[in-house]
């Protein structure tokens, strides 16, 4: 707008405002300072989408994404320059959390930056280790090992130095620094880097000796031991150290498949003995994983060989697996129980015996995490090895360190005992203990020498690998000038110059006082213990050897026992050894090296024992089962016999098949063996009983025998008729016929059972004698769920197990009964009880019917009505005026010749009460002592049993009465007529009441309904007459 002195104009000139936004894009930065809490690296970005007004950029490190407390990184970057600034290494992280970049115009720097969160990256090597393999003091040689750690993806190489301190002070670089590539990075004299490709060893095992899969060029089975836990561990003492340079422990199935290894090769056709581990593990349950290394696959260890559980077919060529699930790795493998789900990380192996690892050939010339230090490198005054990681930006400032240690590599405790028992000859095994540290020891070399320093030494056998801690001096070695054994250790670099030594003595020994008693009881056969006294000094003896010989000097000898360890002065001639031509027993001593040449001998004496009169009577009465006593008689050489053994045999010779019949019978006991009942040899196969005499050593081979006769005594024709007529109750006589074979029979036992197998059986009565085939089953015996009678035979030994069964029927008899009370008085009954023909069982079981009055339907407190009635009867009369209280039922029972049934047919008693009510009478005869008129009443409520009404004059309290006939026949008023008219009649003055009785067809009720008889009297009073006829008598 423009404005005058007077006013601002109303129409301005306008321009459109465009808000420009110019943030950088793709801001990037990676921390390449590998020290923790230190930062460093290039910050890069790309030009904003709208950069027309941008003149330059500024980068900062700040405490938040908004740029608070920021500090500039490098100089400003102009729009036409490379969009990059360097955050110098060793920049302290402090409180900074973001990299922020601002765009700037010619006017001003923007206030809202683009921010990138800082991630502090670090990588310090882990598990740094070194074993000095140069055996001379002040000099080192060997391989330095370490493990990757932290942000390995940023590491381009490792720098290795000798240093006077763990912090790297006074350091000097060692030879070269391995890179994380397939090459080694070597430093030239002028400091330039030369990339050299190193060749892998053609032999897969570090010790140069391949134990299996020899025909393969990419895979080798290597015996190994390792103490660093884990199959894929690295460095000294690790499983990987068993592999040659350029080789490593096989990590996946693919490596083995590509190498052409088959399951058959893995199983041992190429010499595999033991278990050879790989880096293939699994998630558990003997399931192998296709993942390499530890990723999801650390449970169980899979490999090749002959030890362990079978691996599933999904494991390709790998045929074995070990782990905590079975402990099948044996004692050579440990660490599987430290954590039962991470065997791959914990497995160690304490010896090179029994397997090791499979090594696969790789492309690397050397392990990128190791460095070889050449021998004879003087390390003084440096006592530390330090390793730095290096990124593409810089070498870290804080290294990993390892303290160098020289060790004593001499063996200890050399021992040698001359095991050649001939004078002036040497022979035996030399033992020693390994040095305190054995990591660098590869071999031991053993010599005979004229003194402790190795003078005039003579090597004993070849060099021995470290896992071997013993050497054998062959027997018959001439003693000569030698006085010492000397042992040298040897590393992969050099043999030791100063040995360890031990002097030795010469030796001699023989047994005395040999004793031998023949305890084989057969003729021309020997067996028994040989005893002797040991030499005064038995320390050289390892074994004694026993021979049968043709003479005392051991001529024409034959060994009769295994070598017997010293400390035991008892040997054995096994039973049934044939005497043949032998006359002596000869005993030789043996050292750990060789057997003595001159024995001590003793003459042989044979012994014999015979058993006769074997007998056996079977007292188990079941077929194919036996029981009883075996008896016999003994003659000759009884003192040698310790016991007798009885067998069931297929025949009576020593060649029979046989089966032990019981426990041993001691010789001092009566010659008798009890065979328990129900013994099943079985007889079809073993039909004889044979007795063998036995010494403390062995049984006699020739028996005495007896043919077994199987006694079988089942009863026949079991019979039973149930005479208890209640359902679910039994009673009656059980009978049977005696068995055909009664030799061993003494009793019978009878049971009721659910089935023929005698389930839930219960005995009936007591035992019956063998001549008494009869027993009574008490009435009212519950049937329950039993359906069988079982009859067992019994001997003096045992009851038979197989009874004779009889399936019985539960007889029962039920009637339908009826009773109607014809006595019309209260509390009194009378009438006819009627019942039906019983069913389902009637003739001939039912012999009588019995009728009772009872207090309930089950017949409690019953009282009989009349006598027992014959089975032809169907009714019985209960006389009228019978007081039934307290009974509530009439019950009708059937009865057999054995017993009356316990469950009756019940009839509830219904007391029929039929008395009239509301009697009324109006006397229409007005004369005294005379009455006449109509008597009225209401009929009874219960009228079914009423046939007549009868009316009487009655005396109160005496029962004297006089029937009023009226107009009815004989004074009987039929039902339906509820009144009685009678003309005047005289009544006795004592009749004070009318009494109305009901009557059934059976009887008149005894208790009437009464009404007082009121005699109506009406006559005139003051009767007068005045004769108005004056005449006399007119």
């Amino acid at each position: 707008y423009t404005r005058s002195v007077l006013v601002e104009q109303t129409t301005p000139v306008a321009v459109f405002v465009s808000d420009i936004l110019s943030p950088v894009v793709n801001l990037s930065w990676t921390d390449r300072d590998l020290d923790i809490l230190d930062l460093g690296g290039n910050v890069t970005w790309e030009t904003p989408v709208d950069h027309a007004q941008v003149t330059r950029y500024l980068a900062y490190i700040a405490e938040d994404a908004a740029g608070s407390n920021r500090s500039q990184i490098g100089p400003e970057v102009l729009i036409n320059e490379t969009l990059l600034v360097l955050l110098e290494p060793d920049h302290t992280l402090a409180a900074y959390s973001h990299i922020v970049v601002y765009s700037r115009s010619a006017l001003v720097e923007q206030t809202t930056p683009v921010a990138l969160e800082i991630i502090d990256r670090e990588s310090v090597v882990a598990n740094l280790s070194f074993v000095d393999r140069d055996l001379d003091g002040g000099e080192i040689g060997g391989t330095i090992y370490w493990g990757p750690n932290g942000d390995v993806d940023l590491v381009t190489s490792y720098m290795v130095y000798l240093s006077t301190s763990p912090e790297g002070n006074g350091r000097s670089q060692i030879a070269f620094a391995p890179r994380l590539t397939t090459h080694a990075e070597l430093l030239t004299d002028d400091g330039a880097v030369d990339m050299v490709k190193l060749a892998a060893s053609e032999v897969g095992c570090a010790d140069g000796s391949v134990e299996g899969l020899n025909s393969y060029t990419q895979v080798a089975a290597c015996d190994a031991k390792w103490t660093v836990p884990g199959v894929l561990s690295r460095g000294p003492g690790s499983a990987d150290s068993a592999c040659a340079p350029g080789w490593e422990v096989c990590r996946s199935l693919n490596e083995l498949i590509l190498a052409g290894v088959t399951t058959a090769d893995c199983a041992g056709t190429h010499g595999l003995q033991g278990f050879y581990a790989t880096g293939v593990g699994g998630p558990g349950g003997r399931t192998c994983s296709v993942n390499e290394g530890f990723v999801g696959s650390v449970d169980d260890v899979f490999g090749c060989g002959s030890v362990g559980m079978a691996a599933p077919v999904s494991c390709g060529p790998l045929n074995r697996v070990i782990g905590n699930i079975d402990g099948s790795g044996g004692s050579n493998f440990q660490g599987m129980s430290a954590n039962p789900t991470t065997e791959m990380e914990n497995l160690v192996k304490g010896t090179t015996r029994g397997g090791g690892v499979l090594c696969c050939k790789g492309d690397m010339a050397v392990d990128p995490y190791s460095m070889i230090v050449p021998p004879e490198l003087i390390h003084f005054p440096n006592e530390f090895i330090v390793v730095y990681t290096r990124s593409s930006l810089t070498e870290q400032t804080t290294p990993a360190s390892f303290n160098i240690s020289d060790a004593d590599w001499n063996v200890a405790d050399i021992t040698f005992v001359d095991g050649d028992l001939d004078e002036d000859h040497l022979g035996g095994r030399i033992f020693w203990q390994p040095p305190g540290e054995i990591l660098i020891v590869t071999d031991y070399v053993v010599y005979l020498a004229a003194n402790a320093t190795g003078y005039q030494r003579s090597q004993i056998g070849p060099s021995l690998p470290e896992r071997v801690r013993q050497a054998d001096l062959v027997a018959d070695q001439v003693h000569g000038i030698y006085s010492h054994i000397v042992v040298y250790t040897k590393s992969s670099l050099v043999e030791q110059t100063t040995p360890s030594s031990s002097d030795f003595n010469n030796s001699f020994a023989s047994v005395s006082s040999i004793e031998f008693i023949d305890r084989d009881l057969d003729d021309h056969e020997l067996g028994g213990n040989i005893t002797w006294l040991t030499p005064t000094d038995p320390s050289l003896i390892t074994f004694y050897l026993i021979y049968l010989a043709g003479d005392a000097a051991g001529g024409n000898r034959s060994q009769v026992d295994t070598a017997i360890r010293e400390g035991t002065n008892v040997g054995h001639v096994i039973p049934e050894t044939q005497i043949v031509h032998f006359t002596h027993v000869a005993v030789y001593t043996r050292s750990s090296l060789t057997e003595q040449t001159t024995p001590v001998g003793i003459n042989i004496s044979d012994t014999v024992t015979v058993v006769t009169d074997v007998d056996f009577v079977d007292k188990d009465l079941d077929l194919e089962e036996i029981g009883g006593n075996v008896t016999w008689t003994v003659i000759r050489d009884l003192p040698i016999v310790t016991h007798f053994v009885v067998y069931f045999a297929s025949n009576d010779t020593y060649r029979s098949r046989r089966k032990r019949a019981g426990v041993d019978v001691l010789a001092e006991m009566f010659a008798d063996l009890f065979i328990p009942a129900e013994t099943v040899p079985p007889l079809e196969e073993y039909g004889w009983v044979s007795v063998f005499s036995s010494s403390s050593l062995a049984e006699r081979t020739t028996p005495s025998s007896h043919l077994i006769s199987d006694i079988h005594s089942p009863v026949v024709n079991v019979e039973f008729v149930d005479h208890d007529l209640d359902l679910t109750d039994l009673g009656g006589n059980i009978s049977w016929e005696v068995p055909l074979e009664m030799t061993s029979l003494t009793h019978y036992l009878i049971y009721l059972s659910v089935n023929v197998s005698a389930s839930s059986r219960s005995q009936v009565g007591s035992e019956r004698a063998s001549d008494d085939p009869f027993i009574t089953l008490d009435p009212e015996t519950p049937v329950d769920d039993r359906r069988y009678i079982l009859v067992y035979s019994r001997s003096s030994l045992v009851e038979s197990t197989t009874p004779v069964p009889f399936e019985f029927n539960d007889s029962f008899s039920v009637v339908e009964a009826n009773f109607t009370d014809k006595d019309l008085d209260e509390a009194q009954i009378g009438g006819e009880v009627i019942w039906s023909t019983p069913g389902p069982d009637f003739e001939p079981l039912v012999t009588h019917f019995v009728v009772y009055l009872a207090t309930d339907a089950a017949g409690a407190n019953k009282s009989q009505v009349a006598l027992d009635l014959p089975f032809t009867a169907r009714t019985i009369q209960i006389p009228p005026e019978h007081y039934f209280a307290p009974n509530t039922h009439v019950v009708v029972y059937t009865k057999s010749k054995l017993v009356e049934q316990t469950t009756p047919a019940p009839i509830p008693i219904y007391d029929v009460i039929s008395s009239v009510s509301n009697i009324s009478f109006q006397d229409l005869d007005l004369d005294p002592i005379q009455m006449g008129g109509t008597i009225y009443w209401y009929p009874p409520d219960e009228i079914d049993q009423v046939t007549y009404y009868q009316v009487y004059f009655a005396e109160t309290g005496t029962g004297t009465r006089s029937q009023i006939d009226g107009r009815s026949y004989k004074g009987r008023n039929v039902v339906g007529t509820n009144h009685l008219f009678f003309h005047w009649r005289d009544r006795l003055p004592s009749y004070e009441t009318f009494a109305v009785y009901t009557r059934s067809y059976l009887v008149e009720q005894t208790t009437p309904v009464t009404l007082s008889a009121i005699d109506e009297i009406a006559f005139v009073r003051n009767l007068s007459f005045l004769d108005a006829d004056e005449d006399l008598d007119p």
Side-chain angles (χ1 to χ4, degrees), residues 28-266:
S28 174
W29 174 78
T30 299
D31 178 23
R32 297 186 184 276
D33 186 306
L34 300 180
D35 291 299
I36 191 167
L37 302 181
D38 282 352
L39 305 176
N42 290 323
V43 182
T44 64
W45 59 91
E46 294 180 10
T47 304
V49 176
D50 186 352
H51 58 274
Q53 300 303 318
V54 178
T55 61
R56 66 200 66 207
Y57 305 96
L58 293 97
Y60 299 88
I61 185 168
E63 292 183 0
D64 58 29
S68 300
N69 298 321
R70 62 183 179 267
S71 172
Q72 187 170 343
I73 302 171
E76 294 180 343
V77 178
L78 299 179
I79 186 67
N80 58 351
E81 294 178 340
T82 301
L83 305 184
L84 177 148
V85 293
L86 173 65
L87 177 62
E88 294 292 342
D90 299 326
H91 192 295
T92 303
L93 175 62
Y96 298 121
S97 64
H98 288 76
I99 301 289
V100 293
V101 176
Y102 293 78
S103 300
R104 183 182 178 90
S105 69
L107 174 66
V108 69
E109 177 182 291
Q110 69 183 155
T111 58
T112 304
V114 175
L116 177 68
E117 185 177 4
I118 294 172
I119 299 176
D120 183 16
R121 309 290 289 274
E122 61 86 20
S123 180
V124 179
V125 301
N127 301 323
L128 177 61
S129 63
F130 170 72
V131 176
D132 177 18
R133 297 181 185 276
D134 188 302
L135 304 180
D136 297 307
E139 296 180 355
I140 60 172
T143 304
I144 302 169
Y145 294 94
W146 60 89
N149 187 37
D151 297 303
V152 180
D153 58 313
L154 299 178
V155 178
T156 60
S157 62
Y158 298 95
M159 310 301 291
V160 186
Y161 302 86
L162 289 177
S163 172
T164 59
S165 72
E167 293 77 24
N169 297 328
R171 64 180 182 266
S172 60
Q173 190 171 1
I174 303 175
F176 62 86
R179 291 174 54 87
L180 290 179
T181 67
T182 58
H183 296 76
E185 184 180 84
L186 303 183
L187 296 181
T188 61
D189 293 339
D190 60 2
V193 176
D194 185 18
M195 302 300 292
V196 180
K197 180 76 171 182
L198 300 180
S201 170
E202 294 303 318
V203 179
C205 302
D207 61 3
S209 174
V210 178
E211 281 70 44
L213 302 176
N214 307 65
S215 62
Y216 292 92
T217 59
Q218 301 295 317
V219 181
C222 303
D223 282 349
K225 68 175 182 178
W226 63 92
T227 56
V228 177
V231 179
L232 296 177
S233 59
R234 291 181 181 272
S238 69
D240 196 64
S241 64
C243 300
W247 297 64
E248 65 179 0
V249 175
C250 300
R251 300 173 66 89
S252 71
L253 297 178
N254 287 335
E255 287 182 286
L256 298 168
I257 294 170
L258 290 173
V261 178
T262 67
T263 303
D265 297 335
C266 200

Side-chain angles (χ1 to χ4, degrees), residues 329-370:
S331 60
N332 295 327
F333 292 87
Q334 297 91 33
M336 289 181 284
S337 61
N339 187 326
T341 59
T342 58
E343 292 91 341
M344 180 66 71
E345 295 175 336
N346 292 300
L347 191 67
V348 295
K349 189 166 181 286
T351 173
T352 54
R353 293 189 298 274
V357 294
L358 292 186
C359 295
C360 288
K361 191 174 184 180
D363 290 334
M364 285 189 192
V366 295
D367 189 335
Y369 308 119
S370 66

Side-chain angles (χ1 to χ4, degrees), residues 878-923:
I878 297 177
E881 302 181 13
H882 191 99
Y883 287 93
F884 63 89
N887 300 305
T888 60
H889 288 74
V890 177
V891 289
V892 180
Y893 291 79
T894 58
K895 184 175 182 180
S896 70
K897 67 180 181 180
L898 175 68
V899 69
E900 176 183 295
Q901 71 179 159
T902 56
T903 304
I907 312 163
I909 295 174
Y910 179 71
D911 183 14
V912 177
I913 304 171
S914 298
S915 296
V916 301
S917 60
N918 296 326
I919 301 174
S920 64
F921 173 73
Q922 179 64 53
D923 181 18

Side-chain angles (χ1 to χ4, degrees), residues 718-973:
V718 178
E719 292 185 358
F720 169 72
V721 176
D722 178 21
H723 282 90
D724 187 303
L725 302 179
D726 291 299
L727 186 63
T728 73
D729 283 351
L730 299 175
N733 294 326
I734 303 170
S735 63
W736 58 92
E737 294 180 15
V738 298
L740 299 177
E741 173 59 68
M742 298 185 65
T743 303
S744 298
L745 181 67
T746 61
H747 293 84
Y748 307 104
L749 293 99
I750 299 87
Y751 298 87
L752 294 180
S753 175
V754 171
N755 51 38
V756 295
S757 301
S759 298
S760 302
R761 72 179 189 178
S762 59
Q763 188 171 348
V764 177
S766 58
E767 293 180 340
R768 310 301 291 180
S770 61
D771 59 351
D772 185 11
F774 176 89
I775 194 170
T776 297
L777 177 62
D778 293 335
E780 301 182 21
T781 298
V783 174
D784 296 331
D785 55 351
R786 298 173 293 192
R787 290 293 177 269
Y788 289 87
I789 293 171
L790 306 179
V791 181
Y792 291 78
S793 302
R794 179 181 174 86
S795 68
S796 59
L797 174 65
V798 71
E799 173 187 299
S800 64
T801 56
T802 306
V804 175
F806 177 82
E807 187 174 8
F808 59 78
N809 292 316
D810 180 13
S811 301
F812 68 97
S813 182
V814 178
V815 300
E816 293 182 3
N818 188 277
F819 168 70
T820 301
D821 178 21
K822 301 292 186 178
D823 187 302
L824 307 181
D825 291 300
E826 185 177 5
Q828 295 179 354
I829 59 173
E832 187 175 36
V833 181
I834 303 172
W835 57 89
S836 64
T837 299
D841 300 305
F842 177 40
E843 295 185 281
L845 298 180
V846 177
T847 60
H848 293 83
F849 297 99
V850 189
V851 181
Y852 298 88
L853 296 181
T855 57
D856 61 20
N861 304 310
K862 63 188 179 183
S863 59
Q864 189 170 351
V865 177
L867 302 175
D868 292 358
L869 302 173
F871 75 94
T872 56
R874 296 294 181 273
T875 66
I876 189 173
Q877 192 73 34
I878 297 177
E881 302 181 13
H882 191 99
Y883 287 93
F884 63 89
N887 300 305
T888 60
H889 288 74
V890 177
V891 289
V892 180
Y893 291 79
T894 58
K895 184 175 182 180
S896 70
K897 67 180 181 180
L898 175 68
V899 69
E900 176 183 295
Q901 71 179 159
T902 56
T903 304
I907 312 163
I909 295 174
Y910 179 71
D911 183 14
V912 177
I913 304 171
S914 298
S915 296
V916 301
S917 60
N918 296 326
I919 301 174
S920 64
F921 173 73
Q922 179 64 53
D923 181 18
L924 298 179
D925 187 310
L926 303 179
D927 292 304
I929 311 302
Q930 293 183 344
M931 302 185 77
T934 302
I935 301 173
Y936 295 92
W937 60 85
Y938 286 179
D941 294 334
E942 176 65 61
I943 201 169
D944 292 344
Q945 304 304 321
V946 178
T947 56
Y948 301 103
Y949 303 106
Q950 294 186 230
V951 184
Y952 297 85
F953 283 120
E955 290 183 358
T956 300
T958 65
T960 302
R961 65 182 184 174
S962 173
Q963 188 170 359
I964 303 173
D965 292 340
R967 296 177 178 176
S968 62
Y969 174 72
K970 295 184 179 181
R972 297 177 179 175
N973 290 275

Side-chain angles (χ1 to χ4, degrees), residues 679-690:
T679 297
V680 181
L683 293 173
E684 183 177 345
E685 184 176 359
Y686 301 102
W688 293 76
V689 61
S690 296

Side-chain angles (χ1 to χ4, degrees), residues 541-618:
I541 299 173
T542 56
F543 297 99
Y544 300 96
L545 295 100
I546 303 170
Y547 297 85
L548 292 180
D551 56 41
N556 198 19
R557 70 186 185 179
S558 173
Q559 189 170 348
V560 293
D561 196 357
T562 58
I564 300 167
R565 208 170 274 282
E566 200 290 313
T568 302
N569 64 338
V570 179
H572 308 285
V573 177
I574 62 173
E576 302 181 24
T577 298
Q578 301 297 316
I579 292 181
V580 195
H581 61 273
F582 300 120
T583 59
H584 287 75
V585 174
V587 181
Y588 292 74
T589 59
R590 179 184 177 91
S591 69
S592 59
L593 179 67
T594 188
E595 180 182 309
Q596 188 180 35
T597 56
T598 304
V600 177
I602 187 175
N603 285 325
I604 294 170
S605 176
D606 192 14
T607 54
V608 181
T609 300
V610 179
V611 173
T612 62
D613 301 329
V614 177
D615 189 31
F616 172 70
V617 176
D618 179 22

